Structure formats: C-alpha cells, structure tokens
Amino acid sequence: MKKKIVVLNGPNLNLLGVRQPHIYGHDTLADIEARLRARAATHGLDLDFRQSNSEGELVTWIQEVRESCAGIIINPAAYTHTSVAILDALLTCEAPIIELHLSNPHTREEFRHRSFVSAAAKGVVCGFGAYGYELAFEGLAKLVKTAAKK
Ligand code: DQA
C-alpha cells in the first residue's frame, strides 16, 4: 500500500487566486493540488488534499488521519495564530508535520507573528507563495523515505 501524505488547508484558502493576490498570488488551490498530485505520483505516494473553513472539521480530520498517514502538510491559515485545538490534535500525530504559509507571516501584522502550530511542526515553510507547497512536499517526501529505511 502506498504511503499517504495529507495536505490540510484552513479558512479562506478556498478563495486562493482571488483573495488578496498581491499577498497570496494568482494560483488557485486546485492549481496547487494538481501540482502536488504530479509530485506524489513521481514519489509513489498517495495524496489526500483537503480544505475547510471550520476549526472543528480540521481537528476531526487530523484525528481521522493521525494513525494512518505518513505525514501532514498544514496551512492552518488564520487558525495558525489562534488555535490551541489544532495544536493539540497535531500533537497526537506521530508522523512528521510541516507547517506551511504562502506569505511570510513574520513580515506582516504583529498578530501573525505567533504560531500555535509551530510547536507541533518538524519544519516550517513560508514566504514562497504557492511554490511553498511543492517545497514542503519534497521535504516531507524525503523525511518519509528516510524514515522508511530505518
Ligand atoms: C497564511 C497566513 C495567515 O496569517 C493568514 O491568516 C492566512 C494565510 C498564509 O498562507 O500565508 O489565511 O497562512
């Protein structure tokens, strides 16, 4: 059975492409998903790609995949800066977690400088726009393969 990488996207990321394109770029979430599907195929990995505007749904999804997935990439969007519930759910996962942001939150408003999620993350990718998803995927694929060899 192929190992599964789960990519979780938080609130308002369904509007990528039209939402503040000067910050988040012109690619849609569907564009990003298509590129990750191609990369997953190259690596022989399965991809489960989801988006929700609801904190509770994200927590439920993390619980659902926590034992079955090989790794998680999460862009928690605004919940990055507020959600202890998402942090707690991520802390129950053994698989590596990569936190991802299209923008670099550290160059933006002060309230974006704090991430609750980082405490559960093996790595953080930010500031590379949509391409950051591909960077995060490649990094996670490498971690997953290295872990498989041990
Ligand atoms: C974001 C950064 C967050 O501060 C913001 O609330 C988002 C998107 C990013 O990808 O740059 O919705 O996570």
Side-chain angles (χ1 to χ4, degrees):
M1 228 174 74
K2 283 189 194 166
K3 294 190 169 181
K4 188 169 69 182
I5 302 294
V6 178
V7 182
L8 299 177
N9 294 283
N12 300 306
L13 293 172
N14 53 316
L15 296 180
L16 272 188
V18 291
R19 171 192 181 204
Q20 296 180 285
H22 59 290
I23 297 175
Y24 299 116
H26 293 277
D27 288 335
T28 66
L29 207 55
D31 295 331
I32 292 169
E33 179 177 356
R35 278 186 230 125
L36 290 196
R37 291 218 173 274
R39 284 191 187 254
T42 311
H43 286 287
L45 293 165
D46 259 350
L47 180 72
D48 184 346
F49 191 97
R50 308 183 193 188
Q51 188 275 332
S52 176
N53 291 325
S54 148
E55 183 178 23
E57 189 161 39
L58 290 162
V59 169
T60 299
W61 285 347
I62 294 163
Q63 291 184 10
E64 182 191 316
V65 302
R66 56 183 279 272
E67 288 182 319
S68 58
C69 73
I72 297 177
I73 296 169
I74 182 163
N75 183 348
Y79 292 136
T80 307
H81 318 297
T82 61
S83 182
V84 177
I86 289 176
L87 169 64
D88 283 349
L90 290 171
L91 288 172
T92 71
C93 302
E94 285 206 3
I97 293 157
I98 308 295
E99 175 184 350
L100 171 103
H101 303 283
L102 295 126
S103 66
N104 178 355
H106 302 285
T107 63
R108 301 178 63 194
E109 303 95 321
E110 182 113 26
F111 66 85
R112 295 186 203 273
H113 296 183
R114 181 181 61 173
S115 165
F116 283 100
V117 170
S118 290
K122 172 92 181 161
V124 181
V125 175
C126 70
F128 291 94
Y131 187 57
Y133 281 81
E134 293 177 74
L135 293 174
F137 192 89
E138 290 300 324
L140 188 54
K142 175 113 179 157
L143 284 178
V144 167
K145 280 184 193 163
T146 313
K149 279 192 203 135
K150 280 187 188 154

